[in-house]
Amino acid sequence: MNKDILICGVGGQGTVLASKLIASAATACGETVHSAETIGMAQRGGSVTSHVRIGEDAFSPLIPSGSADLILAFEPAEVVRNLRYLKTDGLVLVSSVPVKPTTESLNDTGYDGTEMLTYLQSKCRCLIIDARSLCAPFGSTRYFNVAILGAAVGAGALGLAAEAVLQEIQKKVPAKFVDNNIAAFRAGMQIGGANGIK
Amino acid sequence: MKREYVMGNGAIALGALAAGVNVVSGYPGTPSSEIIETISKYPQPGLHLEWSVNEKAAMEVAASAAYAGARTLVTMKQVGLNVASDPLMSLAYVGVKGGMVIVSADDPGPISSQTEQDTRMFAQFCRIPVFDPSSPEEAYRMIQDAFVYSEKYSTPVLFRPTTRICHAYASISVPEQFPVHAYEGFVKDSKRWVIFPRLSFANHAMIEKRNPRIGEDFSAYAPNHFTGTGTKAIFASGVSYAYAKEYLKKYPDVRLCQIATPYPFPEQLALACLEGVEEVICIEELSPYIETQLQQLIGAHRLPVKVCGKLTGHVAPSGENSADSVARILSDFLGTAPADAGPDLSDMPALPQRPPVLCAGCPHRASFYAVKKAMQGKKSYFCGDIGCYTLGNAMPLDMVDTCLCMGAGITMAQGLHWTDPDAACFAFVGDSTFFASGMTGVVNALYNEADMTLCVLDNSTTAMTGHQPHPGTGRNMMGNIVDKISIESTLAGMGVKKILTVDPLDLSAAVAAVQECAALPGVKAIIFKSPCIAISKPTGKMQISEKCIQCKKCIREIGCPALITIDGKVQIDESLCTGCGLCSQVCPVSAIQ
């Protein structure tokens, strides 16, 4: 399998766990995996990306522009920021919930994400997910990182079986959060499988 | 063997362990910090591991251990190599017995550094070999080779990954158990280990004779290699080689040469690669190192080859390369199709900016704010330093007037004092930076009678680079609890007469301390003591009552990311608030509790 997956969001949203789960699930399936994270100053409320590259002939640690098969986006503006990475026929799964920049309260720009989602729909195949209602049963949008993996599996876009990801959730998530994470993953699968992709 | 999925820095650490490394020292610095952190997770019998107080100390600890025959590893970021350059320059003359590998991680971009310096140039300057891996997998193998070459030529060697290697993840196979490198111990020999001009003269001649031999040796070193044919050739090193391979997937016959050991330059290999070639492009980051090496080689051999690269404007002179930029350069050079650029985004809407800011509840915000309030309306200069607190420059705090390098704030406050004796001069330094390179600056101020106020922002950790312990934290990398070195007693021992320790989150006490110190002549110190929010438990959440008059003073004055406006009304973002209470002390109507 050759697959490039970009994960993007804002520091603190749990993008790193999502990338680790994909990488370890694919490795367990015998695939060669490379990944790269943005680390350092950018983490503090800044834009973050994880690049996961599955397959033998991925040389660059970061995905080249126009090569990502799939973008998993945790925030509307962040996916637009990273849209150049998407392949012509690539797919985007994105949370509709905007994260206002930490400086927004100082200089109000009125950012609410809607302009980004409209733009996104005009550019590519995408599935917009209301992370708030999806995660409501679990009490925190922090479960979105696992729910979006479920959506990708449900849409058949991750190239991995649900079981492969679920096994890694059991291994990598602290015991007391495993049940909620599995439930979030399954809820995501349903949304991804409901064929709402435009 | 077992497979491990690790970061490039983890691969470097595991490679050093596979080489039986005996002594490891270093100072934290992005992108190098995870090397020592990884080694700490694999305790080995007889292995000494330390965060040294700074890079110079780390270099010297590792150097003498290598004199004794031990295999030693030193880690730092590229600007750390500047701090360690004094011992390194001399050590290059003296040499070592046990293998000594100095990892200096370069940061093209720069992404989290002050400079875009190139450790390959440093290697050439020191006249010692340097290894330049192009992937985490290669870094794992190459660092083991680096120990072998170090011992073969009795010289310290440099190993320079860049951020994209350090922070990339890959699977590597590591042994179930790491070997232990046996060594003889220090053998006294003052003709060898004591540097004098005579020794330097003799060894300099030896080094200049030796290095071309290493270059020949490197020409046969497997990672230095070329593939493909044709009249055009590409030379690349480090991650740029990986970017070139990425583009050349569709053009596997193009001649591509990897330079994995930039110094001493593998001339014989380069000459072999240049046979039949009319035009060369050098894809590298930071300095045009390979490009100038090839120019010299081509000139010396009078070859009819044109060399393109940074000096000819074909490759950007600064900043980092990317798969995209290299694809563009190579498609121009080869006359091949451009890589797929992705969707047309020329009509992209304006994106919100997300600049880095001090975390919600960060005690540094309170410290800066206290000094700002205390000095309002008075002529003051604020000299900053390297750490999270450099972010004190952001609006609305705007409390960093200068920032140069580790420890510089303390001495720069003195320089400003001598040019403007009427101004109050402040230096802000973190606890880890104070120990790393702040102490000598305080002695300098005392001895030379400068007037200045030192503000030590003591958050009990090295926060910016990932919470490493330091001499003030009371634990070390061997897992031991040790005596905390007190900043207060250190300053008192030097002769600082006025030292106040305050909790910055107690705003009125902090402001009073600043006012008291600022009014006194000489060297005064305020230790703002409050732990980093990332290593302490939140004390609760603040709440805004109906008393709020929506004046937004809290937002305008302190700019905490947990203070947000929803529909024009000030709210607390409970997912961020740590309950530090600074905003409640700023509120004019006591609406925040």
Side-chain angles (χ1 to χ4, degrees), chain B residues 31-376:
Chain B
S32 71
S33 311
E34 296 84 359
I35 301 170
I36 282 186
E37 289 174 341
T38 303
I39 291 179
S40 75
K41 291 176 189 142
Y42 296 83
Q44 302 294 313
L47 170 69
H48 173 77
L49 176 65
E50 68 171 51
W51 281 127
S52 306
V53 71
N54 62 27
E55 294 86 352
K56 172 173 148 68
M59 186 75 75
E60 292 153 351
V61 166
S64 60
Y67 288 180
R71 284 194 161 183
T72 68
L73 176 74
V74 196
T75 77
M76 61 198 70
K77 68 183 296 176
Q78 88 286 34
V79 286
L81 192 61
N82 302 338
V83 177
S85 63
D86 191 5
L88 179 59
M89 291 306 291
S90 300
L91 185 65
Y93 285 82
V94 174
V96 291
K97 189 159 81 181
M100 176 169 173
V101 181
I102 303 144
V103 176
S104 167
D106 281 347
D107 185 23
I111 299 168
S112 44
S113 302
Q114 305 96 296
T115 72
E116 279 204 299
Q117 64 190 72
D118 190 328
T119 295
R120 298 176 304 168
M121 305 298 281
F122 224 118
Q124 186 185 32
F125 183 43
C126 302
R127 324 297 289 162
I128 61 172
V130 60
F131 292 77
D132 189 2
S134 67
S135 68
E137 295 96 323
E138 192 171 62
Y140 173 73
R141 295 188 298 269
M142 203 180 263
I143 195 152
Q144 299 178 59
D145 300 334
F147 280 102
V148 173
Y149 279 92
S150 171
E151 280 168 6
K152 183 172 178 185
Y153 292 101
S154 303
T155 178
V157 302
L158 278 160
F159 187 92
R160 82 100 191 211
T162 54
T163 306
R164 298 302 177 193
I165 305 298
C166 293
H167 289 171
Y169 285 76
S171 288
I172 53 168
S173 294
V174 295
E176 298 284 345
Q177 211 173 354
F178 294 114
V180 177
H181 174 73
Y183 56 95
E184 189 182 13
F186 185 63
V187 178
K188 292 191 183 195
D189 180 357
S190 64
K191 287 194 189 68
R192 185 169 179 190
W193 304 126
V194 181
I195 194 165
F196 267 116
R198 231 176 71 159
L199 176 92
S200 302
F201 173 76
N203 283 6
H204 187 193
M206 177 277 292
I207 287 165
E208 296 307 334
K209 210 169 143 188
R210 173 199 74 192
N211 281 356
R213 286 196 348 255
I214 301 180
E216 265 177 59
D217 203 349
F218 279 163
S219 283
Y221 178 53
N224 288 319
H225 73 293
F226 63 89
T227 51
T229 54
T231 56
K232 289 187 172 187
I234 301 157
F235 278 70
S237 83
V239 75
S240 295
Y241 172 73
Y243 295 146
K245 289 234 317 182
E246 185 79 34
Y247 178 72
L248 295 178
K249 279 197 276 196
K250 283 187 210 149
Y251 312 98
D253 296 333
V254 172
R255 182 157 282 200
L256 171 65
C257 182
Q258 179 186 7
I259 300 296
T261 58
Y263 185 83
F265 196 69
E267 291 188 1
Q268 291 77 8
L269 175 93
L271 286 170
C273 179
L274 290 173
E275 236 168 81
V277 167
E278 291 162 10
E279 204 175 351
V280 163
I281 192 156
C282 301
I283 311 287
E284 55 193 324
E285 291 173 317
L286 307 173
S287 299
Y289 173 82
I290 295 173
E291 192 176 353
T292 48
Q293 292 295 311
L294 286 183
Q295 282 179 338
Q296 285 176 22
L297 196 62
I298 284 163
H301 291 263
R302 298 172 186 273
L303 300 177
V305 182
K306 185 180 161 198
V307 181
C308 308
K310 287 171 176 277
L311 297 172
T312 55
H314 292 82
V315 178
S318 62
E320 67 167 340
N321 292 336
S322 65
D324 297 343
S325 70
V326 170
R328 272 194 303 276
I329 293 163
L330 291 185
S331 72
D332 281 352
F333 177 70
L334 299 169
T336 45
D340 188 356
D344 172 24
L345 302 175
S346 50
D347 53 347
M348 187 192 285
L351 297 171
Q353 297 302 307
R354 302 189 191 276
V357 291
L358 291 171
C359 300
C362 175
H364 296 336
R365 175 178 290 105
S367 304
F368 282 122
Y369 187 65
V371 178
K372 188 173 185 174
K373 290 314 281 179
M375 300 312 293
Q376 210 154 34

Side-chain angles (χ1 to χ4, degrees), chain A residues 10 20 23 27 33-42 44-47 53 57-67 75 77-78 80-81 83-88 99-106 108 111 115-116 119 123 142, chain B residues 5 7 30 34 111-112 137 164 167-171 239 242-243 245-246 249 323-324 340-357 359 388 391 395-396 463-465 555-556 559-561 563-565 575:
Chain A
V10 176
K20 285 204 166 136
T27 305
V33 183
H34 290 90
S35 59
E37 318 278 357
T38 50
I39 304 179
M41 258 193 172
R44 296 165 203 277
S47 305
R53 310 199 67 191
D57 55 346
F59 298 105
S60 162
L62 303 187
I63 299 168
S65 288
S67 303
E75 208 282 333
E78 293 314 307
V80 174
R81 201 187 300 281
L83 205 53
R84 68 178 184 279
Y85 290 108
L86 193 69
K87 240 184 200 165
T88 312
V99 177
K100 291 192 175 194
T102 49
T103 48
E104 174 78 8
S105 50
L106 279 173
D108 194 353
Y111 168 68
E115 190 187 2
M116 301 295 158
Y119 182 72
K123 289 288 164 184
R142 300 215 162 200
Chain B
Y5 190 67
M7 191 191 264
T30 310
E34 296 84 359
I111 299 168
S112 44
E137 295 96 323
R164 298 302 177 193
H167 289 171
Y169 285 76
S171 288
V239 75
Y243 295 146
K245 289 234 317 182
E246 185 79 34
K249 279 197 276 196
D324 297 343
D340 188 356
D344 172 24
L345 302 175
S346 50
D347 53 347
M348 187 192 285
L351 297 171
Q353 297 302 307
R354 302 189 191 276
V357 291
C359 300
C388 288
L391 297 174
M395 298 305 280
M464 183 61 119
T465 47
I555 291 175
R556 277 184 287 109
C560 174
L563 290 166
I564 54 173
T565 52
S575 68

Side-chain angles (χ1 to χ4, degrees), chain B residues 569-588:
Chain B
K569 288 192 174 163
V570 181
Q571 305 277 322
I572 304 280
D573 182 339
E574 292 201 359
S575 68
L576 293 176
C577 180
T578 65
C580 80
L582 180 64
C583 54
S584 71
Q585 299 168 71
V586 172
C587 180

Side-chain angles (χ1 to χ4, degrees), chain A residues 1-197:
Chain A
M1 173 167 76
N2 275 311
K3 203 173 257 299
D4 285 338
I5 303 163
L6 184 95
I7 302 163
C8 58
V10 176
Q13 287 189 310
T15 53
V16 172
L17 178 66
S19 99
K20 285 204 166 136
L21 289 171
I22 298 173
S24 52
T27 305
C29 295
E31 300 286 351
T32 301
V33 183
H34 290 90
S35 59
E37 318 278 357
T38 50
I39 304 179
M41 258 193 172
Q43 272 186 324
R44 296 165 203 277
S47 305
V48 292
T49 58
S50 295
H51 296 239
V52 183
R53 310 199 67 191
I54 303 172
E56 285 290 341
D57 55 346
F59 298 105
S60 162
L62 303 187
I63 299 168
S65 288
S67 303
D69 300 274
L70 176 65
I71 296 183
L72 302 178
F74 289 54
E75 208 282 333
E78 293 314 307
V79 68
V80 174
R81 201 187 300 281
N82 290 288
L83 205 53
R84 68 178 184 279
Y85 290 108
L86 193 69
K87 240 184 200 165
T88 312
D89 57 346
L91 174 67
V92 171
L93 304 189
V94 59
S95 160
S96 60
V97 181
V99 177
K100 291 192 175 194
T102 49
T103 48
E104 174 78 8
S105 50
L106 279 173
N107 33 17
D108 194 353
T109 59
Y111 168 68
D112 68 358
T114 49
E115 190 187 2
M116 301 295 158
L117 294 173
T118 311
Y119 182 72
L120 187 67
Q121 285 172 305
S122 74
K123 289 288 164 184
C124 63
R125 286 195 304 141
C126 58
L127 175 62
I128 297 169
I129 304 170
D130 182 347
R132 251 188 225 123
S133 68
L134 172 60
C135 294
F138 318 111
S140 167
T141 50
R142 300 215 162 200
Y143 290 102
F144 184 71
N145 58 358
V146 170
I148 197 171
L149 294 185
V153 170
L158 203 58
L160 293 167
E163 272 315 304
V165 183
L166 284 167
Q167 271 181 16
E168 297 306 314
I169 291 176
Q170 306 239 1
K171 276 191 224 159
K172 294 224 154 31
V173 170
K176 61 177 176 176
F177 300 119
V178 166
D179 287 350
N180 265 353
N181 272 290
I182 288 176
F185 181 83
R186 294 201 188 283
M189 272 186 76
Q190 279 200 345
I191 286 183
N195 198 18
I197 296 163

